[in-house]
């Protein structure tokens, strides 16, 4: 309710006066110009050109995302104009939602309202066109009647032409009049149906107000003039993950590095400079506290001194780098913050969906081999190896595998530094088959009472070739040999019994054969090794 007061004029009479409310502060747009997307949030930069007046003034910028973190809001003048930022804050308010097109997940009532509105708008435009056409025909009929009157007055007798023209005008007026009556009837039906649907939607659905945020800025300027302003703040509900696309073409491979960006901050990023960082701003900088770890010693029993308990343990063998995980992992950067840049401005709408942003692409020579580990899988896989020539680290992420026949599947690319070798498996070969057979014998010597376990592994490799194939294909077979960590257990490879002997055996006990196969060829590889343990060993 407004209040009024009375003031006295010069002659002593009371003059009523009304307090006028302050005019609203105009809103200056503050679009997003640069975004640094972190692992689970984003750093937003805005560049604004202001035309300041002299003195202290309050400005309103926006709208901005309502999810802006207030304590991270920072305003900085970027020009040498004599002005100072006195205060900056985010102000939020609830406002009715603006009209919008219904989304795919909206209700059927909302879709029906939108369809009726569109049809009503089109029908109103058609009605206006019909009314205009009838007005033109009415003026044309008036002109024809005037022509008839002037001709009859001057002694002209063109009865057939006058009748023909009047009939044509009347027919057009009747036809368009009928269309106008149909349009009016349809508009009336649309208005009635639209009212019923809106009533049903109001009774069953409630359109919530939208939280809108603006930045209020208080600036003091000693002189009027233009000035540049830079606003920055953090927002949640934004993240990115690396993704790749590898195309194998003969002896070369092309690797495309992309970033999958999701954001639902309530504000679209249109034509922004996108930077992707693995920094984790939410992690504390204090080192973790060390807990107490007590070690106790106890004497072994006589039975424990007489026996040595051993067991077979499975152990994963991997190079340096992150351990692969399932699902959507965090960005693995090898313990150091990595920064990638998009070469061109990008646009990411605030829809919560994944958007692919190209980062880099390179092509290089690649080596290929057909490898199989029959103990793990009976398939023969094409493995491609090449060097990382992208100029930046390749973070762990999924990679789409493309060959000459098209999409071949999806693999995982591990963390790779610039120039380091990359290994990708481009799927299995349907024209190869490997069958694995194992035998085990156990014996005990008479004098030393040592237990000897002999294991024989046979690998049968087959190649099914299409007509016209003439080249040999080398298949790399790998088989494990146990590695002993205690002196009481010995492992020995019996090369004389192997057929053929392995081409190489590494320190991890992986035996390797390079088996050439002609078209339609078959080969059998035999591996024999012994596990020898003293009588004190238990559990073998």
């Amino acid at each position: 309710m407004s209040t009024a007061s009375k003031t006295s004029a010069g002659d002593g009479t009371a003059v009523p006066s009304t307090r006028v409310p302050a005019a609203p502060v105009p809103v200056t747009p503050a679009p997003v110009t640069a975004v640094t997307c972190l692992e689970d949030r984003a750093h937003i930069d805005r560049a604004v050109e202001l035309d300041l007046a002299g003195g202290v003034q309050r400005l309103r910028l926006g709208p901005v995302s309502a999810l802006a973190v207030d304590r991270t809001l920072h305003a900085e003048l970027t020009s040498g104009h004599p002005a100072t930022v006195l205060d900056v804050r985010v102000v939020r308010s609830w406002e009715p939602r603006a009209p919008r097109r219904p989304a795919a997940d909206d209700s059927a009532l909302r879709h029906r309202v939108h369809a009726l509105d569109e049809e009503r708008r089109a029908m109103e435009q058609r009605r206006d066109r019909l009314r205009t056409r009838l007005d033109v025909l009415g003026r044309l009929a008036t002109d024809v009647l005037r022509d008839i009157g002037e001709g009859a007055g001057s002694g002209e007798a063109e009865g057939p032409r006058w009748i023909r023209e009047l009939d044509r005008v009347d027919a057009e007026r009747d036809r368009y009049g009928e269309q106008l009556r149909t349009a009016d009837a349809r508009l009336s039906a649309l208005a009635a149906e639209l009212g019923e649907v809106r009533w049903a939607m109001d009774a069953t659905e409630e359109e919530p107000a939208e939280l809108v945020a603006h930045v209020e800025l208080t600036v003091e300027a000693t002189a009027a003039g233009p000035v540049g302003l830079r606003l920055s703040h953090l927002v949640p509900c934004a993240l990115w993950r690396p993704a790749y696309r590898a195309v194998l073409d003969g002896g070369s491979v092309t690797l495309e590095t992309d970033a999958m960006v999701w954001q639902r901050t309530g504000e679209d990023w249109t034509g922004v400079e996108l930077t992707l960082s693995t920094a984790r701003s939410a992690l504390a900088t204090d080192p973790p506290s060390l807990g107490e770890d007590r070690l106790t010693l106890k004497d072994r029993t006589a039975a424990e001194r007489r026996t040595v308990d051993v067991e077979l343990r499975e152990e994963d063998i991997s190079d340096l780098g992150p351990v692969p995980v399932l699902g959507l992992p965090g960005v693995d950067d090898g313990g150091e913050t990595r920064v990638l840049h998009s070469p061109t401005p990008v646009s990411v709408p605030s829809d919560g969906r994944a958007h692919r942003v190209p980062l880099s692409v390179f092509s290089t020579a690649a080596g290929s081999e057909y490898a199989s580990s029959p103990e793990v899988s009976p398939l023969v896989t094409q493995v491609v190896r090449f060097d990382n020539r992208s100029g930046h680290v390749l973070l762990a992420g999924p990679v789409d595998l493309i060959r000459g026949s098209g999409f071949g599947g999806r693999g995982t690319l591990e963390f790779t530094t610039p120039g380091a070798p990359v290994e990708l498996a481009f799927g299995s070969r349907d024209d190869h088959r490997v069958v694995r057979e194992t035998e085990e014998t156990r014996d005990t010597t008479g004098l030393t009472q040592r237990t000897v376990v002999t294991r024989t592994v046979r690998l049968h490799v087959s190649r099914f070739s299409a007509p016209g194939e003439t080249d040999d294909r080398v298949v790399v077979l790998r088989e494990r040999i146990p590695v002993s960590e205690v002196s009481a257990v010995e492992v020995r490879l019996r090369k004389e019994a192997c057929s053929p002997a392995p081409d190489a055996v590494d320190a991890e006990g992986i035996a390797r054969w390079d088996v050439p196969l002609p078209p339609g060829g078959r080969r059998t590889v035999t591996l024999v090794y012994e596990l020898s343990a003293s009588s004190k060993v238990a559990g073998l």
Side-chain angles (χ1 to χ4, degrees), residues 176-416:
Y176 286 114
E178 183 63 26
Q179 294 181 9
L180 180 60
R181 286 188 290 274
T182 303
D184 289 335
R186 180 55 184 165
L187 281 174
S188 300
L190 285 175
E193 184 179 359
L194 189 60
E196 294 176 358
V197 176
R198 287 188 184 278
W199 178 86
M201 190 174 67
D202 293 339
T204 57
E205 299 183 15
E206 181 180 358
E207 184 70 15
E210 183 179 8
L211 185 62
V212 179
H214 293 81
V215 175
E216 287 192 353
L217 186 72
T218 303
V219 181
E220 181 180 9
T222 58
V227 63
L229 176 68
R230 179 178 176 270
L231 284 174
S232 62
H233 59 85
L234 285 176
V235 290
C237 301
L239 71 156
W240 77 281
R241 294 295 184 270
Y244 304 92
R245 185 174 185 267
V247 181
L248 181 61
D249 185 10
S252 66
V253 65
T254 301
L255 185 66
E256 302 175 5
T257 303
D258 299 331
M260 303 300 294
V261 182
W262 297 262
Q263 71 103 352
R264 197 152 198 168
T265 62
E267 186 177 17
D268 294 340
W269 302 342
T270 304
V272 301
E273 297 179 4
L274 183 62
T275 302
L276 305 163
S277 174
T278 63
R280 298 168 177 84
S281 58
L283 295 183
T285 57
D286 296 334
S289 58
L290 298 179
E292 185 178 357
D293 190 5
R294 290 182 176 272
L295 300 178
T296 59
L297 299 176
K298 69 175 183 177
D299 294 334
R300 293 190 300 171
T301 63
E304 291 175 343
R305 294 192 187 98
R306 288 193 303 267
T307 60
V308 177
D309 291 330
V310 297
E311 62 179 5
L312 292 177
R313 182 180 72 249
E314 301 285 346
E315 184 173 333
D316 293 333
I317 302 172
S318 62
D319 297 330
L320 294 178
V323 178
V325 294
L326 300 177
L328 184 64
V331 182
D332 243 317
D333 52 11
E336 181 181 351
T337 299
R338 313 288 179 171
V339 178
L340 303 176
H341 300 276
S342 173
T344 58
V346 300
S347 297
V348 181
S350 176
D351 54 6
R353 299 179 180 179
H355 297 271
R356 204 175 188 105
V357 177
L359 297 180
S360 67
V361 58
F362 72 93
S363 298
T364 184
S368 179
E369 76 173 18
Y370 298 91
S372 176
S373 298
E375 186 179 3
V376 180
S377 172
L379 302 177
V380 175
T381 304
Q382 183 180 9
V383 180
V384 176
R385 295 181 177 87
F386 56 94
D387 294 334
N388 176 17
R389 304 296 182 188
S390 62
H392 57 79
V393 297
L394 300 178
L395 304 174
V399 52
D400 295 333
L401 306 173
I402 311 297
R403 288 190 290 193
S405 58
F407 179 76
R410 178 168 294 174
T412 300
L413 187 68
E414 297 183 353
F415 179 88
T416 309

Side-chain angles (χ1 to χ4, degrees), residues 82-136:
T84 306
V85 176
L86 301 180
D87 182 52
V88 59
R89 64 185 63 188
V90 179
V91 179
R92 299 173 177 85
S93 60
W94 291 97
E95 297 181 2
R97 290 182 180 270
R100 59 178 177 86
R101 297 180 62 88
D105 54 349
D106 283 341
S107 65
L109 287 175
R110 189 172 299 277
H111 282 275
R112 183 59 180 166
V113 167
H114 178 73
L116 292 175
D117 279 334
E118 292 291 332
E119 185 179 358
R120 184 186 63 176
R121 189 177 299 108
M123 193 60 65
E124 289 176 348
Q125 294 175 356
R126 175 176 174 78
R127 181 191 61 184
D128 294 340
R129 290 194 299 269
L130 291 174
R131 286 178 176 176
T132 303
R133 180 64 61 88
L134 287 175
D135 290 342
V136 173

Side-chain angles (χ1 to χ4, degrees), residues 36-155:
T36 300
C37 197
L38 307 177
E39 185 177 354
D40 59 350
R41 64 202 62 205
H43 186 271
I44 306 296
D45 287 324
R46 308 171 188 271
V48 187
E49 293 293 331
L50 302 176
D51 190 8
L52 299 181
V56 178
Q57 53 203 291
R58 184 164 61 93
L59 306 175
R60 191 177 179 88
L61 310 177
V64 300
S65 172
L67 302 178
V69 182
D70 298 72
R71 58 185 174 83
T72 63
L73 183 63
H74 177 71
E76 178 184 4
L77 298 178
T78 58
S79 62
H81 189 81
T84 306
V85 176
L86 301 180
D87 182 52
V88 59
R89 64 185 63 188
V90 179
V91 179
R92 299 173 177 85
S93 60
W94 291 97
E95 297 181 2
R97 290 182 180 270
R100 59 178 177 86
R101 297 180 62 88
D105 54 349
D106 283 341
S107 65
L109 287 175
R110 189 172 299 277
H111 282 275
R112 183 59 180 166
V113 167
H114 178 73
L116 292 175
D117 279 334
E118 292 291 332
E119 185 179 358
R120 184 186 63 176
R121 189 177 299 108
M123 193 60 65
E124 289 176 348
Q125 294 175 356
R126 175 176 174 78
R127 181 191 61 184
D128 294 340
R129 290 194 299 269
L130 291 174
R131 286 178 176 176
T132 303
R133 180 64 61 88
L134 287 175
D135 290 342
V136 173
L137 290 175
R139 290 194 296 269
L140 179 59
T142 301
D143 294 339
V144 171
L145 293 175
R146 185 173 60 251
D147 184 30
I148 292 175
E150 292 177 355
S154 60

